[in-house]
Amino acid sequence: MTKVKRGASIPLIVNDPYFSIWSPADCLTDCDTQSWTGKEQPVRGYIRVGKSTYRFMGADDIIPVIDQTGLDVSATQTTYTFENEVVFLEVTFAVDLDLQDLNKISEPVTMITVKADIKNGNEAAITFAFSEEICRDQASEELHWQAITTPSEKMVWMGKGRQTPLSSSGDLIDIDWGYLYLAAKSNLAINYQKKHGMLLANFAVCSGEEATILAAYDDVHAINYFGRATNALWKENYTGMYDLLQNYLANLAQRKASCKKIDKMIQQDAHTAGGETLDFITAFSYRQSICAHKLIRDSDGEIVFLSKECSSNGCIGTVDVSYPSIPLYLLYQTELAKGMLRPVYKFANMPVWEYDFAPHDIGRYPYATGQVYGEITHPNSKGWSDRGPHDTVYDYYQLPKGQNVYCFEQQMPIEECGNMLAMISAVYLRDKDDKFFTQYLATNLKWADYLATFGQDPENQLCTDDFAGHLAHNCNLSLKAITALGMFGTALQVAGYEEEGNLYFNQAKKMAEIWQKNAISSGEHTPLAFDKPDSWSMKYNIVWDDLFNLGLFPEKLMQKEITKYLAEANEYGIPLDQRAEYTKADWIMWISIFAQNEEEMEQIIGPVRYYLENTTNRVPFSDWYDTKDARVMNFKNRTVVGAMFMPILKQALIKNLVNV
């Protein structure tokens, strides 16, 4: 596990975009827990030994605290230790996120395990208190609750009396429907109460023994997927939450062992690829990346894995959010990578999307009903979008063509075409799924032609780093077009489409030659834009050339680039480019694969860890921050931290652990 002293928020009960509770302080008793949105969703913990009660979790002006002595974070677990003169206490929050088992990662269940070593006695009493705020966003009505007792389990649920699933949509909002569940085996002496807006779980623990309760959330319906209210994947296998929790309790030992197995694997992989620093960074990334998605199945029986663009605009299934996160899923589960792509292809082939390039997103969470980015706004009822921060999204998918829904100037043509082609090609080269690759061939050929036509020297347009504004002649965006064409050409060749594959790969080679002539003018580094020779920027889009040995660019190119980047680095990392001191942690981790040795790797990724340890913004891992003062710019709890696994993906490809 990774020992943590301070910095970014700590993951506690993290299962999906709507059930995500964090500690915003390194000490669990400094303040109440929060949703990733920043709204307080208090979960408090108390231990009573003899006649004395101590608080080990959450804020409380009455009950004294027990001193926290340790905090460890791993890929699937967060463990706190506490001690005073009467007891040593260990509390672990764990979620069984086995990427090899899609049902497991869909299950919104966290195991909370307590172990108390009592110094002068044999028994203690534990109380966990869960706030009503977990079950609502804006409404203030009192919630209903009910205990469920059987010979093998003791459960309780809490939720609104009038359920309105999928009744709101937006970015920094929390769920306003569904049910919180707590559960334990019947051999645990546990009882449930509801007092002062809190659902209480009280149980006894014997000295030296573990006691585990489950915290889970049933969102009733998960996603409006193109007009169909769709459930989370786990509901395929269970009649409901009671059934799931019953199974979970019957297999607690196996679930805990699974967490340890996953943690060990990722820790070993991280140490091999980037040492202790990479172990630290990936420990903060694994749960966040997976659990800022929702996993469903579409009406064709195919897996769909939908990201929420958290703390940005709330978009669902954003292409340039999937792109940076893809290393984690290329490495451990390509079916989830396919699940990111399927909904984009589905929307791109609907009449309302009239462009020859790829869309940006497919809606606003939890409404996958058509792109919302770059809608024509609603001045005097002449546009489409006058949506408020909680309003649901119109069914754009059902519109015929010619409706003028989207503003061309606000689209990302090269960005999203390049992202889609690079991702589907990488997935195919990873698992050779011919059916998946060829299913979308006509669309991909169209997007490849777009890149071949417009990608050499991009016109003034947005890219994924849209917070920096429009930019013409963007060198890195051109690299995306070139490497995406090279990837697509290679994938076509492997799939047996030799003529088409040769055509696009040769086009990529020609474009790469032109790129080098236009970009490498000083001989030392490449610019931000072709018309800005004295500028510089991180060229993260070139990674595909290295990962899949495309041979489009000489190795010395990135060696010189890395030298320039490190010369421009600040205390907390390499800036994105010369325009500002902020950076994107995902792109730093991408370019780290060009490090020539362990020392250079540490120079590149070490400041990312230093930022996580020292930022004063107590939020879930933010990928966008200032490299001089570690201040978070915006963005938090985003799936893009799957990018932190890029060095591990590189090592796996080198060792032929990934079948390319």
Side-chain angles (χ1 to χ4, degrees), residues 370-522:
Q371 176 170 311
V372 297
Y373 191 90
E375 296 163 288
I376 294 176
T377 54
H378 203 292
N380 302 319
S381 299
K382 294 180 180 179
W384 281 92
S385 176
D386 60 350
R387 189 169 42 253
H390 289 77
D391 292 348
T392 55
V393 179
Y394 182 70
D395 293 341
Y396 290 131
Y397 69 88
Q398 49 116 16
L399 292 175
K401 63 181 180 180
Q403 302 308 301
N404 196 31
V405 176
Y406 303 108
C407 175
F408 174 79
E409 289 74 20
Q410 296 302 313
Q411 305 308 312
M412 301 183 185
I414 303 299
E415 175 70 36
E416 309 302 17
C417 284
N419 291 341
M420 290 298 290
L421 289 182
M423 287 191 288
I424 194 170
S425 300
V427 169
Y428 179 69
L429 294 173
R430 167 70 173 90
D431 68 8
K432 308 299 191 302
D433 185 343
D434 289 299
K435 179 181 177 182
F436 179 77
F437 182 69
T438 58
Q439 181 178 358
Y440 307 107
L441 192 56
T443 300
N444 287 328
L445 289 170
K446 178 176 67 175
W447 291 344
D449 288 341
Y450 191 94
L451 293 181
T453 303
F454 299 105
Q456 184 73 71
D457 186 6
E459 296 178 349
N460 191 39
Q461 62 189 271
L462 293 169
C463 70
T464 185
D465 307 314
D466 56 353
F467 47 79
H470 287 70
L471 180 67
H473 316 298
N474 186 330
C475 290
N476 190 45
L477 192 57
S478 177
L479 273 179
K480 178 164 289 186
I482 295 167
T483 54
L485 283 172
M487 288 288 288
F488 186 52
T490 300
L492 285 169
Q493 291 168 344
V494 173
Y497 298 90
E498 291 192 22
E499 182 178 350
E500 295 87 347
N502 291 337
L503 174 67
Y504 290 111
F505 190 81
N506 289 335
Q507 178 68 24
K509 288 179 66 176
K510 292 176 184 178
M511 292 171 71
E513 291 173 1
I514 295 171
W515 190 94
Q516 292 177 74
K517 290 178 182 178
N518 293 339
I520 307 175
S521 54
S522 65

Side-chain angles (χ1 to χ4, degrees), residues 119-131:
K119 298 177 180 179
N120 294 298
N122 297 317
E123 192 173 87
I126 299 290
T127 295
F128 280 102
F130 292 78
S131 171

